Amino acid sequence: MSTKKVGTQTAVLANPPSFAGHANVVGKKEGEGPLAETFDYIAEDDTFGESTWEKSESAMQKQALSLALDKAGQPASNLDWLFAGDLLNQCIGSSYAARGQGIPFFGLYGACSTMGEGLALASMTLDGGFGEWAGVVVSSHFCSAERQYRNPLEYGGQRTPTAQWTVTGSGAVVLAREGPGPYITHVTVGKIVDKGIKDANNMGAAMAPAACDTLEAHFQDTGRTPKDYDLIVTGDLGSLGSELLLELLRRDGIQMSNHADCGMLIFDPQTQDVHCGGSGCGCSASVLTGHFLNGMRAGRWQNILFCPTGALHSPTASFQGESIPGICHAIAISTKKGK
Amino acid sequence: MSTKKVGTQTAVLANPPSFAGHANVVGKKEGEGPLAETFDYIAEDDTFGESTWEKSESAMQKQALSLALDKAGQPASNLDWLFAGDLLNQCIGSSYAARGQGIPFFGLYGACSTMGEGLALASMTLDGGFGEWAGVVVSSHFCSAERQYRNPLEYGGQRTPTAQWTVTGSGAVVLAREGPGPYITHVTVGKIVDKGIKDANNMGAAMAPAACDTLEAHFQDTGRTPKDYDLIVTGDLGSLGSELLLELLRRDGIQMSNHADCGMLIFDPQTQDVHCGGSGCGCSASVLTGHFLNGMRAGRWQNILFCPTGALHSPTASFQGESIPGICHAIAISTKKGK
């Protein structure tokens, strides 16, 4: 069998897996934003009926996967594999959500890039001939993230102008080995890039170099240019990180006029007071599984390059003076198998 | 292409990947134990020359991967993918170790089962036709784990009789798509199993039901019995968890007289004061990459079923009264491709 890897980082899916179902569940604030109509379920409050924020996050993730399975017309028992991750210590958002579901389970940690990591692994697994159905589900929750990464909400801490707002949301995908699309045709797996940024309130700046690195690798490996896509979508660089990405690419001679960022789309910057935009695993995942995949199904876009970014640090690493390693995975999604 | 999945949880590798290199690096205490001769590098002290325990863990992991690459005769730049994980919050042991190495990176969280998760994904990726070389590296460090999961060492906390001792160690594997073996022939991916155990000082009891579940699935899916293996090796159930596993299997009519547990092998229970045995990602990983794989190369064993177990909880989940979800992945390793 000849290798299906091209260049240094890109897997080409010989038999592209198809999005059979995708769904999202978000919190109240997200449901008041500009993408409200693209969410499958908007919580009335962010507890999801649970007694702790961590349990709320698991409940949200469970619901998102259940909705995606419904749309795919499959019971959970038909899933060959589940790939899941979140931002919490030891990824408990995912493990408690998957408990009792009886699906062979792969736990992932890719920070806010986790939907990209999961789509890469799930599509390579199905394309490799292992099983028929794979689930990917990720989440983030504003309240559990604030408590863990910053301060408990009750402290009422001030936020810096470069800060982003962790999205309360979960996105889930059910991929099928065969189906009518949209398809995952290529995945470019990111390397860890760290340019020395140490400000944990400026994640956009920490992640932009990783996005630049993965995009350049994707174009190099595939021979494509930005024009081969209707849209190139980053995860949660926010307004500052997006500016930096475009500037970094320009310096390397790449013009990208078709860029969008999930972190800038999910909230209204004028009215929702989120500073540089949304962030969290749930940000890119809920925007992909609603706005973008629904838009592709409606004929609005044919080819999208989905590039969620993650910051692979921790509060402990920051306390120890470490800089922030970034990563970005690029997932090429097309309405046509042969593209 | 016909599916290469059998039963509910098992992937059959049509073209079994080969262990091209494997190495381990451990701390001082591990180097004083019965497996001392099977370790590639034993630290003189556990700092690895770094100023914090978290940085020590990253240094150890980096060194293990470097030694495995040396044995495989490959530069890091030849690795198509790196699968890595550890026990620290946000998996910083792995992300800081992989930073600067320039390898497409998948971060995993499977607690102490992570070497099994990584071997499963790496072997499915290579068998699926994606690339020629894949690395898997995991670690745990007694001092960083104590600080994070229990108390800082300086507190001098007492340990319960059912407690285990987190191994300071890292194991790394380089898998090749072609090679002389040993080979990974099957992987049975675990489901999350939670029987309601809430005692975070009794991880063996929390993980034994998951090991039982995965072993039974493996035998069911493949039609094999325990006698098809020279050894069935669990990760870090320890003495109590191992007893429980054998009892659970007996109740289901399965006799397993060829069981070994990495947590019981790595320390001397008479002289090293580790209560129920060793634990941590680094426990099963350093015993696999030395004692077992070296033994297979020396002709001591032909077929081993490697079954690392993990407890997917967190201190926060325990504080909130949650029970401990367990997981176990089974990796069939053989000196013969066709087995």
Side-chain angles (χ1 to χ4, degrees):
Chain A
M1 195 197 306
S2 74
T3 184
K4 294 184 284 190
K5 190 184 176 207
V6 296
T8 55
Q9 297 172 238
T10 302
V12 181
L13 302 164
N15 185 26
S18 173
F19 285 90
H22 44 88
N24 50 38
V25 170
V26 300
K28 187 163 181 288
K29 185 183 179 86
E30 290 70 21
E32 292 164 354
L35 300 185
E37 288 185 4
T38 68
F39 300 130
D40 294 291
Y41 181 86
I42 298 169
E44 284 180 31
D45 69 49
D46 291 357
T47 67
F48 290 82
E50 299 289 336
S51 57
T52 73
W53 297 126
E54 290 74 17
K55 293 181 185 182
S56 306
E57 183 166 349
S58 287
M60 181 173 67
Q61 194 178 112
K62 211 166 166 173
Q63 192 180 353
L65 180 61
S66 169
L67 290 171
L69 282 163
D70 282 354
K71 290 195 191 178
Q74 299 298 319
S77 56
N78 273 10
L79 280 185
D80 291 293
W81 325 104
L82 179 61
F83 297 84
D86 59 85
L87 297 176
L88 297 180
N89 296 347
Q90 288 72 55
C91 303
I92 54 168
S94 305
S95 51
Y96 285 95
R99 178 176 67 173
Q101 303 221 48
I103 311 166
F105 180 81
F106 292 108
L108 308 181
Y109 187 74
C112 307
S113 74
T114 307
M115 179 49 88
E117 182 182 352
L119 290 175
L121 288 169
S123 56
M124 287 160 79
T125 298
L126 294 181
D127 186 81
F130 301 103
E132 303 289 334
W133 303 93
V136 185
V137 61
V138 306
S139 63
S140 54
H141 194 298
F142 177 77
C143 303
S144 60
E146 284 297 305
R147 164 148 73 193
Q148 181 187 282
Y149 286 96
R150 295 169 197 94
N151 290 307
L153 295 182
E154 293 79 356
Y155 284 23
Q158 294 292 304
R159 308 171 67 243
T160 70
T162 54
Q164 294 176 236
W165 187 279
T166 305
V167 164
T168 298
S170 175
V173 161
V174 175
L175 287 183
R177 204 149 72 90
E178 304 287 345
Y183 302 98
I184 296 181
T185 62
H186 301 72
V187 303
T188 299
V189 180
K191 298 172 175 177
I192 295 178
V193 176
D194 187 335
K195 296 292 187 192
I197 305 287
K198 294 188 176 187
D199 181 357
N201 287 307
N202 191 353
M203 307 290 262
M207 299 188 295
C212 176
D213 190 75
T214 296
L215 280 167
E216 293 187 356
H218 180 78
F219 297 136
Q220 179 77 35
D221 289 350
T222 60
R224 295 182 172 193
T225 70
K227 290 186 181 153
D228 286 300
Y229 295 97
D230 301 312
L231 270 182
I232 294 171
V233 179
T234 48
D236 51 0
L237 293 178
S239 50
L240 183 61
S242 293
E243 264 181 58
L244 287 169
L245 169 63
L246 296 180
E247 173 63 24
L248 288 168
L249 288 169
R250 251 194 309 271
R251 285 193 196 174
D252 292 340
I254 298 173
Q255 296 291 332
M256 204 164 79
S257 54
N258 50 349
H259 171 254
D261 182 74
C262 300
M264 292 170 70
L265 293 169
I266 195 165
F267 294 120
D268 180 338
Q270 302 306 315
T271 64
Q272 291 193 293
D273 188 29
V274 294
H275 300 315
C276 273
S279 66
C281 302
C283 177
S284 58
S286 59
V287 177
L288 172 72
T289 53
H291 183 62
F292 287 119
L293 286 171
N294 292 348
M296 291 184 88
R297 288 188 188 279
R300 188 164 167 199
W301 303 292
Q302 279 70 53
N303 297 291
I304 284 181
L305 189 63
F306 173 66
C307 310
T309 44
L312 301 174
H313 70 141
S314 78
T316 302
S318 292
F319 293 153
Q320 295 180 2
E322 270 291 6
S323 55
I324 302 172
I327 196 163
C328 172
H329 305 294
I331 311 294
I333 305 172
S334 176
T335 51
K336 295 201 188 69
K337 231 178 185 172
K339 172 70 188 189
Chain B
M1 195 195 307
S2 75
T3 184
K4 295 184 283 190
K5 190 184 176 206
V6 296
T8 55
Q9 297 172 237
T10 302
V12 182
L13 302 164
N15 185 27
S18 173
F19 285 91
H22 42 90
N24 49 38
V25 171
V26 300
K28 186 163 182 288
K29 184 183 179 85
E30 291 69 22
E32 292 163 355
L35 300 185
E37 287 185 5
T38 69
F39 299 131
D40 294 290
Y41 181 86
I42 299 168
E44 285 179 31
D45 69 49
D46 291 358
T47 66
F48 290 83
E50 299 289 336
S51 57
T52 72
W53 297 125
E54 290 74 17
K55 292 181 186 181
S56 306
E57 182 166 348
S58 288
M60 182 173 67
Q61 195 179 111
K62 210 166 166 172
Q63 192 180 352
L65 180 61
S66 168
L67 290 170
L69 282 163
D70 282 353
K71 290 195 191 179
Q74 299 298 320
S77 57
N78 273 10
L79 281 185
D80 291 294
W81 326 103
L82 179 62
F83 297 84
D86 59 86
L87 297 176
L88 297 180
N89 296 347
Q90 289 73 55
C91 303
I92 54 169
S94 306
S95 51
Y96 285 95
R99 178 177 65 174
Q101 303 220 47
I103 310 166
F105 179 82
F106 292 108
L108 307 181
Y109 187 75
C112 307
S113 75
T114 307
M115 180 49 89
E117 182 182 352
L119 290 174
L121 287 169
S123 56
M124 288 161 79
T125 298
L126 293 181
D127 185 81
F130 301 102
E132 303 289 334
W133 305 92
V136 185
V137 61
V138 307
S139 63
S140 54
H141 193 297
F142 177 76
C143 304
S144 60
E146 285 297 306
R147 164 148 73 192
Q148 181 187 280
Y149 286 96
R150 296 169 196 94
N151 289 307
L153 294 182
E154 293 78 358
Y155 284 22
Q158 294 291 305
R159 308 171 68 242
T160 71
T162 52
Q164 294 176 237
W165 187 280
T166 305
V167 164
T168 298
S170 175
V173 161
V174 174
L175 288 182
R177 205 149 73 91
E178 304 287 346
Y183 302 97
I184 296 181
T185 62
H186 301 72
V187 303
T188 300
V189 180
K191 298 172 175 178
I192 295 178
V193 176
D194 186 335
K195 296 292 187 192
I197 305 287
K198 294 188 176 188
D199 181 357
N201 287 307
N202 191 353
M203 307 290 264
M207 299 188 295
C212 176
D213 191 76
T214 295
L215 280 168
E216 293 187 355
H218 179 79
F219 298 136
Q220 179 77 35
D221 289 351
T222 60
R224 296 182 172 194
T225 71
K227 288 185 182 155
D228 286 302
Y229 295 97
D230 302 312
L231 271 182
I232 294 171
V233 180
T234 48
D236 52 359
L237 294 178
S239 51
L240 183 61
S242 293
E243 264 182 57
L244 287 170
L245 169 63
L246 296 179
E247 173 63 23
L248 288 169
L249 288 169
R250 252 195 307 273
R251 286 192 195 178
D252 292 340
I254 299 173
Q255 296 291 332
M256 204 165 77
S257 55
N258 50 349
H259 172 253
D261 183 73
C262 300
M264 293 169 70
L265 293 168
I266 195 164
F267 295 119
D268 181 338
Q270 303 305 316
T271 63
Q272 290 193 294
D273 188 31
V274 294
H275 300 313
C276 273
S279 67
C281 302
C283 177
S284 58
S286 59
V287 178
L288 173 73
T289 52
H291 183 62
F292 287 118
L293 286 172
N294 292 347
M296 291 185 87
R297 289 188 187 278
R300 189 166 167 196
W301 303 292
Q302 278 70 53
N303 297 290
I304 284 181
L305 188 62
F306 173 66
C307 311
T309 44
L312 301 174
H313 70 142
S314 78
T316 302
S318 293
F319 294 154
Q320 294 179 2
E322 270 291 6
S323 55
I324 302 172
I327 196 162
C328 173
H329 305 294
I331 311 293
I333 305 173
S334 176
T335 52
K336 294 201 187 69
K337 230 177 186 173
K339 172 71 187 187

